[in-house]
Amino acid sequence: MYLYGDDAYARTTALREKIIVPYLAKHQEGSVTRFYLGDEGAFLKLREFTGTGSLFAKVKLVILYEISELDVKFDKECTAFLKTLLEDKSTTVVIVADKKLPKVYDFLLKEPVKSYEFEPLTGAKFVNFLKKEVSSQKLTVSDSAISQVASLHDG
């Protein structure tokens, strides 16, 4: 899966509620591991992690952040590696990015990868989102207060 776009709140919420929670409910013996590829040596650690079996976890959910932080010289190696992971039935990969990744990663926008873009909400969509969030928290906030918050956000 590939989650990208400027709306970090929606991206993170979708990751947690639509991917991680259902995954762990279905695969109680599974593991969830995050890799920040901008960290030194993280790509090598990812390769090692996905290449080895686990004594405890039969399946793995791997969440990748900061692919865009990889040195450009690793783009081809990274894309080739990600393509091999698409074939791995014991590893589910979720790529999370603030922006759409460079063209070399466009294969993530095609089947079998499921991709979701999270654009910032503006205008009435943002106001409706705020109302739903307020309601989900069981708070009472006036429509005018919500509109003021939305206007501060440029929504």
Side-chain angles (χ1 to χ4, degrees):
M1 281 180 247
Y2 173 34
L3 312 177
Y4 67 98
D6 289 327
D7 190 342
Y9 181 83
R11 234 184 21 246
T12 303
T13 301
L15 176 63
R16 182 181 59 250
E17 295 176 5
K18 307 266 187 217
I19 299 171
I20 296 173
V21 170
Y23 178 88
L24 290 175
K26 182 177 180 181
H27 304 287
Q28 294 176 351
E29 77 288 355
S31 70
V32 177
T33 306
R34 291 169 172 81
F35 290 90
Y36 294 84
L37 297 181
D39 293 349
E40 189 172 330
F43 184 63
L44 179 61
K45 289 177 187 173
L46 168 65
R47 290 184 72 116
E48 290 171 357
F49 177 79
T50 56
T52 59
S54 171
L55 294 174
F56 306 105
K58 293 180 181 20
V59 292
K60 303 171 189 173
L61 175 62
V62 174
I63 304 169
L64 304 179
Y65 298 92
E66 302 174 350
I67 286 184
S68 60
E69 300 292 319
L70 278 175
D71 192 318
V72 174
K73 67 183 178 185
F74 291 113
D75 280 347
K76 287 185 180 179
E77 183 179 353
C78 186
T79 57
F81 177 68
L82 290 174
K83 287 176 182 177
T84 64
L85 286 181
L86 292 175
E87 314 266 324
D88 185 348
K89 300 296 180 204
S90 66
T91 304
T92 300
V93 177
V94 180
I95 297 162
V96 181
D98 294 340
K99 307 267 184 225
K100 185 177 172 192
L101 293 173
K103 199 167 195 66
V104 71
Y105 294 99
D106 277 357
F107 73 94
L108 296 171
L109 298 169
K110 300 173 185 156
E111 291 293 329
V113 178
K114 293 179 180 160
S115 62
Y116 304 94
E117 183 175 8
F118 296 89
E119 294 182 8
L121 298 176
T122 59
K125 288 182 180 180
F126 185 62
V127 171
N128 288 335
F129 163 77
L130 289 175
K131 287 179 181 179
K132 286 181 187 174
E133 284 297 302
V134 166
S135 175
S136 74
Q137 299 296 319
K138 297 182 176 43
L139 300 171
T140 305
V141 179
S142 71
D143 286 347
S144 64
I146 289 174
S147 293
Q148 284 181 322
V149 169
S151 68
L152 291 173
H153 174 72
D154 294 326

